Each structure stands twice: as structure tokens, then as C-alpha cells.
Amino acid sequence: MILKEYTVTSTDGIHARPATKLVKLAREYRSVISLKKGDKQVRLNSMLNVLTAGIKGGDTITIIVEGEDEEAASAAIDQFLAEELKNH
């Protein structure tokens, strides 16, 4: 299992467009990928799951990756968050 913390630097947080891309990316891997904000943890298998977490700019989230391809999945999520959730 891999756990990594991120601070969302985008002032928009995670809204519909990046949530959709994040779920699409997560579905490319066999590992179970979850996102945790505070006490709330959701699987990255549905855009609605991600949106209900209510992630805003400045929030700290934890990505949890567990499964046979967790290293590759974690690296892809790292890259996605670095590119997609920065301030524009």
C-alpha cells in the first residue's frame, strides 16, 4: 500500500473537469485508488465520489493506492496532480 499527501494548489480545487480526468486515470490501473480528505475517504471510481469530498484550493488530501500495479498507479497520480492541480 502506498500513501501520499498532497496540498491542492489550484485555487479551484478539484472540480468536475479534473475529477473526471482523475477517475479516468485511476480506471487504467488494477489497484484500488482512494482519496482521503479529513475523515472522508472515497474511491476514485466515480466523479461523483470525488466531488462529494469537496476539495478546495489549499486542502491537504491523501491518495491511497493498493494493488498489484500500485507503483505505476502512484507515479501516474503524482504526475497528474502536479500538472493538473497547479495554479493557472
Side-chain angles (χ1 to χ4, degrees):
M1 177 170 25
I2 298 172
L3 289 96
K4 290 191 178 180
E5 277 196 357
Y6 302 89
T7 299
V8 178
T9 56
S10 170
T11 54
D12 295 334
I14 299 181
H15 54 85
R17 189 176 310 127
T20 300
K21 289 180 179 180
L22 187 57
V23 168
K24 184 177 179 183
L25 176 63
R27 288 180 177 166
E28 293 178 13
Y29 297 92
R30 292 181 181 211
S31 294
V32 173
I33 305 172
S34 300
L35 179 152
K36 184 175 181 181
K37 176 190 162 202
D39 294 335
K40 185 168 191 130
Q41 183 171 325
V42 297
R43 286 191 56 190
L44 294 182
N45 60 357
S46 157
M47 181 185 76
L48 191 56
N49 284 354
V50 178
L51 294 178
T52 60
I55 300 162
K56 297 175 178 44
D59 286 349
T60 299
I61 60 172
T62 303
I63 299 291
I64 303 152
V65 186
E66 187 170 14
E68 63 189 67
D69 57 358
E70 62 189 26
E71 293 287 336
S74 179
I77 297 290
D78 271 347
Q79 182 177 357
F80 172 85
L81 292 176
E83 292 174 3
E84 292 289 326
L85 297 182
K86 62 186 174 199
N87 282 327
H88 296 283

